[in-house]
Amino acid sequence: METTAADEVVGICRDLLRIDTTNTGDPRTTVGERAAAEYVAGKLGEAGVDVELFESAPKRANLVARIPGADRSRGALLVHGHLDVVPADASEWSVDPFSGEEKDGYLWGRGAIDMKDFDAMMLAVVRDWSRTGYVPPRDIVLCYTADEEAGMEYGSQWLVNNHRDKFDGCTEAIGEVGGYSYTVNDDLRLYLVQTAEKGLDWLRLHASGRPGHGSFIHDDNAVTALSEAVARVGRHRFPTVVTPTVRAFLEQVGDALQIDIDPDNPEVAIAKLGPIANLIGATIRNTANPTRLEAGYKDNVIPGRASATIDCRTLPGEADRFLAELRELIGPDIEIDHVHQQPAVETAFGGELVDAMGAALRAEDPGARTVPYLMSGGTDAKAFSTLGIRCFGFAPLRLPADLNFASLFHGIDERVPVEGLKFGVRVLDRLLRNS
Ligand SMILES: [Zn+2]
């Protein structure tokens, strides 16, 4: 019997899980990205696909391949996945996090859902096409990246800065984090398609004062000034803002769950949504969380400077208004440095590709209904969207109703349901054939 993509996907995913690609955030201790990219290159090479490997730094490998479509005048579809994973502490896990063990209907390992599952689906689909001589309707650009988990500097952002021509003609992209199911009842599953991401702005605040001896009366203390500002920011609740994506999410989920939802009163609306509320709690307002403090060098010396880091996450279109509000809170005497910035992204939930996502899901799950959502974290889509590409989180998975999927991201005992993986590869194949 012919091998199918669904037959291959589990073995490929297991192989990828066994390659430790831990990204610690420190290039000296980050491992495996080159080995994983070479594995992918080998699998694509067997399928006759030409690949290019690009190293942004020693062993920080990224892979790009273009599969020519039947109509080369059409815009290409970028299909992307990152190969790195966040660290896993084996002592906390019930299995070895890099064993790719299969048990209880799941494939276990760091990266099983973030995102070697989708990496494997991409490979399995393309290898199937090569076995059967299938040509997709338009160009497909496959991209496997390094360094998604630590800021994208050596991965997608580097590719966009240094090899943007590889993405020429790409009009749309799919990658993480979306396309997974949330079970309402036996006949209805919502599949959340990511159409927007919050922006990220890591700020360093600096307060200056008069240095002095800790035993004197002192009214110009940098530590005091900084602490007051940090406390005001940390305790502040920014007002709710309902972006087009969140509005569509609330309306459609309210309709699906048959509950009365008022999108203009999002806090009340979200409280009615039950477990699904966790996903979007942080998507109705900007946030600013203090994460680091630095000041002083001796117990009896008042330092002249004190600094703090604030992790800010902003909604699409809100960056300027947010900064003005933050400046007001912090006051005029404290300096603000932007340490690291990534823009928010948002695209409309509509068009042929979105229709094709719904059709591909319904063909495999008649109870499927797609819903757009805004994610509070960030992905490689941030880099790719700067090229004018419409980015979607669509890495399809049908999940068991009782699985706490969100807790598995960067979590202990990360695992992917084997049947979900096979479902995902069938949906991805259908989508790519009809997009
Ligand atoms: Zn990821």
Side-chain angles (χ1 to χ4, degrees):
M1 222 177 75
E2 286 261 322
T3 308
T4 67
D7 297 332
E8 269 206 332
V9 70
V10 178
I12 292 174
C13 189
R14 182 186 301 118
D15 289 347
L16 286 169
L17 292 171
R18 286 179 177 165
I19 304 171
D20 178 354
T21 53
T22 298
N23 184 350
T24 60
D26 178 348
R28 289 168 300 184
T29 51
T30 293
V31 296
E33 289 168 339
R34 175 88 203 182
E38 280 174 359
Y39 172 85
V40 172
K43 288 284 172 191
L44 289 173
E46 286 170 18
V49 176
D50 291 331
V51 307
E52 288 181 284
L53 284 184
F54 300 99
E55 277 196 342
S56 51
K59 309 264 185 204
R60 310 301 303 264
N62 297 276
L63 182 150
V64 184
R66 187 177 284 254
I67 296 160
D71 181 355
R72 303 213 66 187
S73 69
R74 288 184 58 200
L77 176 65
L78 171 63
V79 185
H80 60 96
H82 62 83
L83 289 168
D84 60 324
V85 298
V86 294
D89 178 351
S91 69
E92 297 172 329
W93 283 55
S94 19
V95 301
D96 173 352
F98 298 102
S99 64
E101 194 171 323
E102 190 177 336
K103 65 165 187 164
D104 308 329
Y106 288 84
L107 205 51
W108 300 59
R110 175 56 85 223
I113 54 157
D114 185 11
M115 58 177 297
K116 289 176 171 173
D117 55 342
F118 190 65
D119 293 336
M121 289 180 210
M122 291 160 63
L123 275 180
V125 166
V126 169
R127 286 168 59 85
D128 183 62
W129 291 354
S130 134
R131 280 191 296 272
T132 55
Y134 177 75
V135 175
R138 56 168 161 161
D139 280 15
I140 304 283
V141 174
L142 297 177
C143 180
Y144 288 87
T145 60
D147 202 30
E148 193 277 339
E149 297 290 4
M152 297 143 19
E153 192 186 334
Y154 296 97
S156 56
Q157 192 58 57
W158 182 88
L159 280 174
V160 163
N161 293 345
N162 294 280
H163 296 283
R164 63 164 55 212
D165 57 304
K166 298 295 161 199
F167 306 101
D168 278 354
C170 289
T171 50
E172 293 148 316
I174 58 170
E176 60 178 355
V177 175
Y180 52 86
S181 65
Y182 167 79
T183 302
V184 177
N185 57 45
D186 286 349
D187 302 321
L188 178 60
R189 272 160 297 284
L190 303 179
Y191 285 80
L192 277 64
V193 178
Q194 187 200 307
T195 54
E197 292 181 3
K198 279 178 111 173
L200 174 158
D201 202 354
W202 291 340
L203 300 178
R204 193 144 301 144
L205 310 186
H206 303 281
S208 302
R210 187 160 41 82
H213 197 288
S215 68
F216 294 164
I217 301 285
H218 197 100
D219 57 7
D220 184 17
N221 185 321
V223 175
T224 308
L226 181 80
S227 308
E228 286 173 344
V230 167
R232 280 195 299 274
V233 171
R235 294 199 188 287
H236 186 68
R237 276 227 147 184
F238 290 83
T240 57
V241 177
V242 181
T243 67
T245 299
V246 173
R247 178 171 296 274
F249 174 88
L250 289 173
E251 285 170 355
Q252 294 186 32
V253 172
D255 185 51
L257 301 182
Q258 293 181 311
I259 50 178
D260 204 16
I261 289 281
D262 175 7
D264 292 312
N265 202 346
E267 285 187 301
V268 175
I270 286 175
K272 293 180 181 174
L273 297 183
I276 207 170
N278 294 337
L279 286 167
I280 62 152
T283 66
I284 55 166
R285 50 167 48 94
N286 302 311
T287 58
N289 284 309
T291 52
R292 302 178 86 161
L293 285 170
E294 257 180 306
Y297 55 94
K298 198 166 184 297
D299 289 348
N300 61 352
V301 174
I302 296 165
R305 250 170 112 70
S307 61
T309 306
I310 315 282
D311 182 355
C312 306
R313 307 296 176 118
T314 55
L315 296 165
E318 280 289 305
D320 292 344
R321 185 148 66 140
F322 167 79
L323 268 183
E325 193 172 348
L326 192 77
R327 174 44 93 185
E328 189 119 318
L329 277 173
I330 288 170
D333 298 331
I334 289 183
E335 289 167 49
I336 301 179
D337 270 349
H338 294 270
V339 181
H340 186 60
Q341 267 180 305
Q342 290 170 352
V345 296
E346 185 164 39
T347 190
F349 188 61
E352 285 176 20
L353 184 64
V354 168
D355 293 344
M357 289 174 189
L361 283 167
R362 282 189 302 277
E364 296 293 335
D365 176 2
R369 181 163 167 173
T370 52
V371 175
Y373 86 108
L374 162 70
M375 196 175 74
S376 53
T379 71
D380 282 333
K382 287 202 189 313
F384 294 128
S385 62
T386 63
L387 299 177
I389 299 172
R390 292 181 69 199
C391 293
F392 297 90
F394 189 80
L397 273 183
R398 180 170 171 170
L399 300 170
D402 57 353
L403 181 70
N404 186 348
F405 186 59
S407 74
L408 296 179
F409 278 84
H410 301 187
I412 295 163
D413 286 341
E414 184 178 347
R415 59 196 183 278
V416 64
V418 170
E419 286 310 312
L421 204 49
K422 293 179 180 176
F423 170 87
V425 87
R426 291 193 298 265
V427 173
L428 180 64
D429 188 29
R430 283 182 187 275
L431 173 65
L432 298 185
R433 285 172 189 257
N434 293 295
S435 66

